[in-house]
Amino acid sequence: MTDPGLPPDLAAMDTRLRGVTFEPRASLGPEIAGRWARGERGGMDGPPGPPRRLALTALAALVVAAGAWWAERRDPGATRMVDRCCHDLDGGGVADDGVLVVTRDGREVRRLRIYEDLDRNGAYSPGDPVRFERGPVPAIGRPAPERAVTFRHCCADYDGGGPPDDGLLVIGAPPDRVLMAAIYETADADETAGSPLR
């Protein structure tokens, strides 16, 4: 409510200032927790007594919990990486290909990479050639030639969810081209009930 005694040219400014709200910046919680951990206590003199120590500990715990809540709200779910090797995924006839999957909470495929395990260590290494890579949406990278072949591998835990209930679908052009790859979840091991590609 605007003060009726204000001059008219200040009334609009008073109304705008009353509508201003403040909230702490996102980094305030971690900053306070870090200062507390380093022993910074602001302008307090001497060691705090038991009641003040308890209050400060509760405040620090509250700030850390609020920071964790905010981080969870901004990025719900953890991502994990699943590396499964070795299959013949490109049609070359040798079981020297692996699949590297980045998932969120074992449900959402964020990145999928088909690689050739060149150094034969059973996992992706930086020197291994990447035959195919895609983001969160299944897509065909190049036009499919007439000699394209479909490979299905079931059942393993490709999405990091725990149970071995996922299938891998790969469209390739032998001997070493991969055109498309996707993960799908099956209802049972014989693949009678597949779900949409992920």
Side-chain angles (χ1 to χ4, degrees):
M1 179 172 151
T2 304
D3 185 354
L6 281 176
D9 55 340
L10 295 179
M13 182 182 291
D14 182 63
T15 302
R16 285 197 326 231
L17 288 174
R18 289 179 188 273
V20 172
T21 59
F22 296 94
E23 59 184 64
R25 65 184 187 277
S27 63
L28 180 62
E31 179 183 338
I32 292 173
R35 287 182 177 213
W36 179 265
R38 288 190 302 270
E40 295 181 28
R41 304 292 189 258
M44 295 183 216
D45 293 330
R52 191 170 9 160
R53 183 178 299 131
L54 181 62
L56 291 174
T57 302
L59 177 63
L62 181 64
V63 167
V64 170
W69 174 82
W70 180 253
E72 175 68 21
R73 192 170 158 207
R74 290 184 64 208
D75 185 22
T79 58
R80 71 178 59 148
M81 192 175 302
V82 178
D83 191 340
R84 297 280 180 245
C85 189
C86 296
H87 310 287
D88 178 16
L89 300 177
D90 57 12
V94 180
D96 61 351
D97 306 311
V99 58
L100 185 69
V101 183
V102 177
T103 70
R104 180 181 295 276
D105 283 342
R107 293 187 304 263
E108 177 189 350
V109 174
R110 302 297 298 268
R111 184 158 299 284
L112 191 149
R113 174 183 293 171
I114 304 290
Y115 63 90
E116 185 175 333
D117 185 24
L118 198 63
D119 58 5
R120 305 293 191 261
N121 68 345
Y124 177 73
S125 304
D128 291 339
V130 175
R131 299 294 184 209
F132 179 81
E133 186 158 5
R134 77 165 177 88
V137 179
I140 294 180
R142 303 178 229 171
E146 291 183 18
R147 57 193 176 97
V149 180
T150 301
F151 303 95
R152 286 183 4 173
H153 295 274
C154 186
C155 295
D157 178 20
Y158 289 110
D159 63 8
D165 61 351
D166 306 313
L168 173 65
L169 177 70
V170 178
I171 298 175
D176 61 3
R177 283 183 59 198
V178 175
L179 306 168
M180 195 275 284
I183 304 292
Y184 61 94
E185 191 162 322
T186 62
D188 51 31
D190 64 5
E191 300 186 82
T192 57
S195 66
L197 300 180
R198 297 166 58 191

